[in-house]
Amino acid sequence: MLFPFHRYKREHPEFYLFFKNVLGFTPRNIRLYEMAFIHKSKSVQTGKGARINNERLEYLGDAVLGAMVAEYLYKKYPYQGEGFLTEMRSKLVSRANLNKLAHKIGLSELVQSARSNQGGFKSVDGDAFEALVGAIYLEKGYRFTRHIIIDKVIAAHVDVDAVAHTDWNFKSKLIDWGQKGHHKISFDVERVFYQGKESRREYDVRVKIDDTPAEHAVDYSIKAAEQLAAEKTYKSLQEKGLIAPHTEEQPPITI
């Protein structure tokens, strides 16, 4: 039985206002959207032993969001090549960007998670955003979901042209820096783990400079974890004065 949405105006006003003011539509299968906001760390156990959380919706939303963003960029930049479009899509659907977007639109306030825990929880808001995309798609279809996510969320809250001019591929930047300074840069997968039963695999990747451990990061793919670890390492080196901001200078390295 569908739960009447108007009851959320009184009992869960933040949920009601998010859909009314941010997304601008009335959901019918509200339980589906409630599931989208349940992180695996707060999984609900059913009587049959199943665990209810947003991982399956996140999986679906990831694929749907990737297709929508690819279409959006293809039309927005008609004269740009495949390389530019691929990098732009990676920037827009990166965990870092989706986390920021979820926080900006107030989605992070609705997510149920054990935020005090450490480990693979840094992407909780971005995961919920993808799960929301999956929920809208299941209930409303592709065209409606594209209108909400692209027109009402991304176009309204993300400066896409500014994103195009931001540094993103820190792995390449770090490797280039290493080559110019004659430093060996490597990325090691230190552990592969699951956060609880029926979870997705996560990778903990650490950067090494001349075999000396630097920063590390966790994500759902090795490639994404490498990018996050490279970004943390690159910025750390800048803070230490080992990489001069916006220049190609190579100060002597001491980690």
Side-chain angles (χ1 to χ4, degrees), residues 81-98:
E82 182 268 345
F84 171 87
L85 297 176
T86 298
E87 183 169 346
M88 275 295 294
R89 181 179 60 185
S90 296
K91 289 180 181 181
L92 290 176
V93 303
S94 69
R95 275 299 175 274
N97 188 62
L98 293 184

Side-chain angles (χ1 to χ4, degrees), residues 106-139:
L107 172 60
S108 57
E109 301 300 319
L110 304 177
V111 179
Q112 300 178 45
S113 71
R115 289 180 184 269
S116 60
N117 288 1
Q118 300 299 317
F121 287 63
K122 295 179 180 179
S123 62
V124 57
D125 297 328
D127 295 346
F129 184 88
E130 289 185 335
L132 173 65
V133 174
I136 300 173
Y137 172 75
L138 283 178
E139 184 183 69

Side-chain angles (χ1 to χ4, degrees), residues 32-44 51-62 95 107 110-113 123-135 198 200 220:
L32 182 65
Y33 296 94
E34 288 180 332
M35 187 188 304
F37 301 143
I38 300 176
H39 186 252
K40 62 190 174 184
S41 62
K42 284 288 188 177
S43 297
V44 178
R51 293 163 59 87
I52 298 176
N53 57 47
N54 65 6
E55 285 192 310
R56 283 170 52 83
L57 286 173
E58 177 200 338
Y59 160 78
L60 176 62
D62 175 56
R95 275 299 175 274
L107 172 60
L110 304 177
V111 179
Q112 300 178 45
S113 71
S123 62
V124 57
D125 297 328
D127 295 346
F129 184 88
E130 289 185 335
L132 173 65
V133 174
E198 300 179 3
R200 290 168 60 185
Y220 292 121

Side-chain angles (χ1 to χ4, degrees), residues 215-250:
E215 302 292 336
H216 76 108
V218 175
D219 211 304
Y220 292 121
S221 71
I222 295 176
K223 182 178 179 180
E226 287 177 344
Q227 280 289 352
L228 289 173
E231 179 178 0
K232 291 169 67 176
T233 300
Y234 195 89
K235 291 181 177 179
S236 175
L237 292 172
Q238 285 184 320
E239 291 173 359
K240 294 175 181 178
L242 302 174
I243 296 180
H246 311 298
T247 74
E248 298 300 323
E249 298 175 12
Q250 301 292 319

